[in-house]
Amino acid sequence: QVQLVESGGGLVQPGGSLRLSCQASGFTFRSFPMSWVRQAPGQGLEWVSSISNLGRATYYADSVKGRFTISRDNSKSTLYLQMNSLKPEDTAMYYCATGDSAGWRRGNRGQGTQLIVSS
């Protein structure tokens, strides 16, 4: 079965950096576009970024453009999200999901990894 396991979250000061990882298994990772989505406390799910199956195309929400970088290593079935210049409003549970910016809601998601940006 599809498994997505996120890791790398934690407590970071504003302006800091962190890299999230998502280990995928149970499906042909290289065949699927992938996304990162997040859910802030008391809010709904918000799309953050997507990457095409071969990693040639990337897409970002305006709120993270220029600060976050999505990437993937298909040889390791792993998805990444490099987050720089973090802001308190980036505080959320971060999930990786199968699917692109239009399809992630219909796909699978992991259990999430928590990011807290606070001084």
Side-chain angles (χ1 to χ4, degrees):
Q1 71 279 19
V2 173
Q3 275 201 309
L4 299 168
V5 180
E6 300 93 338
S7 61
L11 173 63
V12 182
Q13 292 189 339
S17 298
L18 208 62
R19 189 177 80 157
L20 306 183
S21 300
C22 172
Q23 180 67 55
S25 62
F27 65 106
T28 307
F29 181 74
R30 65 181 179 274
S31 296
F32 285 80
M34 296 292 295
S35 295
W36 286 99
V37 301
R38 66 186 181 185
Q39 187 168 28
Q43 304 294 317
L45 285 166
E46 174 192 18
W47 172 77
V48 174
S49 180
S50 295
I51 187 168
S52 59
N53 63 317
L54 298 181
R56 292 170 182 167
T58 56
Y59 308 90
Y60 299 93
D62 287 344
S63 57
V64 306
K65 199 173 295 183
R67 301 188 298 121
F68 290 12
T69 302
I70 190 171
S71 62
R72 65 192 295 163
D73 186 338
N74 285 346
S75 69
K76 297 180 180 179
S77 296
T78 303
L79 179 72
Y80 302 100
L81 186 68
Q82 177 66 44
M83 304 181 293
N84 299 328
S85 303
L86 284 163
K87 304 175 181 179
E89 50 263 44
D90 294 318
T91 295
M93 186 72 80
Y94 283 73
Y95 303 89
C96 68
T98 57
D100 59 15
S101 59
W104 63 267
R105 289 187 186 274
R106 299 187 299 272
N108 297 93
R109 285 196 301 274
Q111 86 291 345
T113 187
Q114 180 72 52
L115 169 68
I116 299 173
V117 183
S118 175
S119 55

